[in-house]
Amino acid sequence: MYKSQYRGANKQNLQGDGRLRDKSMTEERPVYLSSKNRAVRTPQAFGRDGTATEPTDGDCPDRAWPACWDAAASLLEWSEPYERIVDKENAPFYRWFVGGRLNAAENCIDRHLEERKNQVALRWEGKRGERRTYTYYDLYREVSAVAAALREIGVEEDDVVTIYLPKLPELPITMLACARIGALHNVVFSGFAPNALAERMQRVDSRALVTCDGSFREETVIDQKRKADTALASIEESVPTIVVNRLGSSHDMHLGGNQYDYDDLVEAFTGANVPPVPREATDPLFHIHTSGTTGEPQRMTHATGGYLTGVAWTAQTVFDLTPGTTIWCTADAGWITGHSYVVYGPLLSGATVVLAEGSLRYPDRHRPWEVIERNGVEVFYTTPGVIRTFMKWGVSFPASHDLSSLRLLGSVGEPISPDTWEWYYTHVGQERCPIVDTWWQTETGCVLISVRPGVDELKPGSVGPPLPGIEIQIVDEDGRELPPGKPGYLTIDRPWPSMLVPLEGDRYWVLAEYWQAFSDPRADSWRYFTGDRAVVDDNGYVTIIGRDDDVITIGNRRIGTAELEAAITTIDGVTEAAAVAERTIGKSALCVFATLEQGQQDRTAIRDAVADAVAEHVGEFARPASVVFTPELPETYSGKTMYKLLKRIVNDRPPTDSDTLRNPEVVGELTTIWNRE
Ligand code: WTA
């Protein structure tokens, strides 16, 4: 539950943080009007078999904390029981499940062998219509073979292996092979350019690389290996590299020195017995980089026991995964969402994972619905950006498929506007499936704020209450708790098992970035700052306003991008919007970028309607100075609107960071459109 407790913050620290200084601002309460104005809805027709384990019966009162996390940890198999749930000695660098030992791959695979060795663990659909299925036993065999192969090429416990693969079965298999031998994986999104790969390898001192020969993009071939080789050439040491053959025998695979064919290794090591290496619960499981939407991409680290506990528990409580449930999460394993809810969460739960390589629009716009139909997908998890794309394409696509297998829908990564929520609920979930709008971060490891399906009411546009055991506070710039209805900074008051566990060398910046603003180190009182702004209602439901850096100040008022965009997308014909501020001396003006449904001609009328909608829902003071139409918004590979870049464009600064963009080609186009308007 959202708790009313003020623990005080360190004012001195606050002074050091420029972002938090200005107290004179007033704020409007977010509007978030759904076009149908339906505020609360009870999940209907959502069967729950009653097997879900809560860390407690709903709430976790102070006296039961942290003991309430025992139940979540008991979802895992421990080779050595832990002695302490949480060690606060070095707060805020908490250590969870101290003394315990376990292995992630054993928990994802071996423990299922007795009961479900022949159950499907992974269904893969390739870009060219190929299909492959792996049972838990198949995974066991291939993961063991790859684990033996990694050892053969010199990987030892605690070494880091970088994985640079598109959505192929070999990606989760290699992650689990690393985990089996106690090596850390460092997955780098396969679309990144060579220099981004090299940087991410060097930052973690990567001892090996796993990549592939290439991949297909619609009709062309992407030479993945050449990108990898370019990156490797810029690294001083020779890094042993395993290459997966994706292109097939029609393409020659040229292996250089210290490079190995994945298939040859698997063949050589099939049948190898590689016992899982028990790891300390506090030992790192992997590195991952943040997506770089706001700042520079940073190295994050998660620890074995705490991370797996959070993920196993939310897989069950939020996604209702039980053995045999089929889940399709569209995220790439290069992001935390892919780690937690494509790989670890589902496999820990004994579920069946669907992995679909390639774009959702290839070979045509029926693909997403065909994947659901063919595989009997029960849980579908994606981003608001993807849902907006589906909206743009129109209802005829989902309507022409049998989606009756779906039971639960999820959204993550950005605020979802009530209109988008309604569309998802009606046309994908057919008013039958609850939607879990899950708030979390790379840093938090697992979902922390979300409704629990079958337990909590749904409210379009709100992510819901914090999960049991999680305590959040909305605070002002002085760290004082704000009452319901007052927007402020979203903070987390108590540690949680799957929290970031920075390496020694990262502690300094992690402290400054996440803990300094609202903690009081002298009183040993620590509060995590998420970087987001949010508001809670009287029932403790949280609405995310947006990243603090993206909040717009107009005429001394701070308005969240989510609120503006929710107002703008109520206009028929507008599918997506992004609002940023153009600063001129002494004041700033609101600029809106919007994309239109296909066939929308009357731009002047829409432009006026957009301006009126902002004035009506948010206030006359916020009426946009310009509304610019664009074919696409700039987006990161993980599906977030790149506000940072739009801000540069409207303020006539040269665009940067194009290597974190999914659609870098829009940058030139946007700059041209902006300058013309
Ligand atoms: C945003 C993704 C609104 C938020 C798992 C957060 C959301 C950042 C939601 C983390 C949501 C995530 N509603 N905003 N349901 N989920 N965010 O690290 O700003 O890629 O801080 O992790 O995404 O992004 P990250």
Side-chain angles (χ1 to χ4, degrees), residues 425-602:
Y425 186 76
T426 310
H427 300 292
V428 181
Q430 298 166 337
E431 307 201 353
R432 190 187 66 241
C433 308
I435 296 177
V436 288
D437 178 6
T438 61
W439 181 91
W440 58 298
Q441 307 179 300
T442 307
E443 295 84 343
T444 70
C446 75
V447 176
L448 296 189
I449 312 178
S450 169
V451 293
R452 288 164 298 158
V455 177
D456 301 310
E457 307 256 87
L458 314 175
K459 288 187 194 180
S462 160
V463 289
L467 293 174
I470 304 299
E471 192 180 309
I472 62 135
Q473 288 185 333
I474 309 294
V475 300
D476 68 9
E477 52 284 332
D478 289 331
R480 276 189 298 259
E481 188 181 357
L482 291 165
K486 284 266 175 218
Y489 301 104
L490 174 62
T491 66
I492 306 175
D493 210 29
R494 276 196 300 221
W496 62 98
S498 62
M499 65 198 304
L500 65 169
V501 179
L503 296 185
E504 199 77 37
D506 289 333
R507 287 185 170 188
Y508 186 75
W509 75 260
V510 164
L511 199 63
E513 180 87 13
Y514 303 101
W515 299 97
Q516 179 175 302
F518 298 112
S519 300
D520 185 355
R522 279 164 307 184
D524 203 20
S525 156
W526 296 97
R527 192 181 302 156
Y528 174 88
F529 178 39
T530 62
D532 283 1
R533 294 182 62 79
V535 58
V536 289
D537 68 13
D538 290 328
N539 300 316
Y541 273 55
V542 179
T543 295
I544 305 294
I545 295 171
R547 297 289 305 166
D548 180 39
D549 308 317
D550 298 330
V551 166
I552 294 170
T553 306
I554 305 272
N556 252 5
R557 304 207 202 192
R558 310 193 54 173
I559 327 163
T561 46
E563 181 188 4
L564 289 161
E565 289 148 20
I568 296 163
T569 51
T570 58
I571 304 299
D572 277 348
V574 176
T575 44
E576 281 184 291
V580 291
E582 179 188 6
R583 290 179 207 293
T584 43
I585 301 158
K587 65 175 185 166
S588 50
L590 184 67
C591 300
V592 172
F593 290 86
T595 65
L596 297 178
E597 255 167 37
Q598 255 160 6
Q600 283 297 334
Q601 299 298 343
D602 195 351

Side-chain angles (χ1 to χ4, degrees), residues 62-80:
D62 281 345
R63 65 185 155 68
W65 194 96
C68 55
W69 288 109
D70 272 331
S74 73
L75 296 171
L76 304 174
E77 298 234 312
W78 296 81
S79 43
E80 193 78 54

Side-chain angles (χ1 to χ4, degrees), residues 271-337:
N273 176 24
V274 185
V277 173
R279 299 277 284 165
E280 295 276 350
T282 50
D283 281 341
L285 177 61
F286 62 85
H287 293 304
I288 186 168
H289 285 79
T290 56
S291 63
T293 321
T294 44
E296 283 298 299
Q298 299 277 15
R299 166 179 75 183
M300 284 285 144
T301 311
H302 279 288
T304 313
Y307 172 79
L308 294 176
T309 295
V311 167
W313 173 61
T314 47
Q316 198 179 74
T317 328
V318 177
F319 296 100
D320 205 45
L321 299 187
T322 50
T325 308
T326 301
I327 174 168
W328 181 26
C329 164
T330 62
D332 193 277
W335 320 120
I336 193 70
T337 313

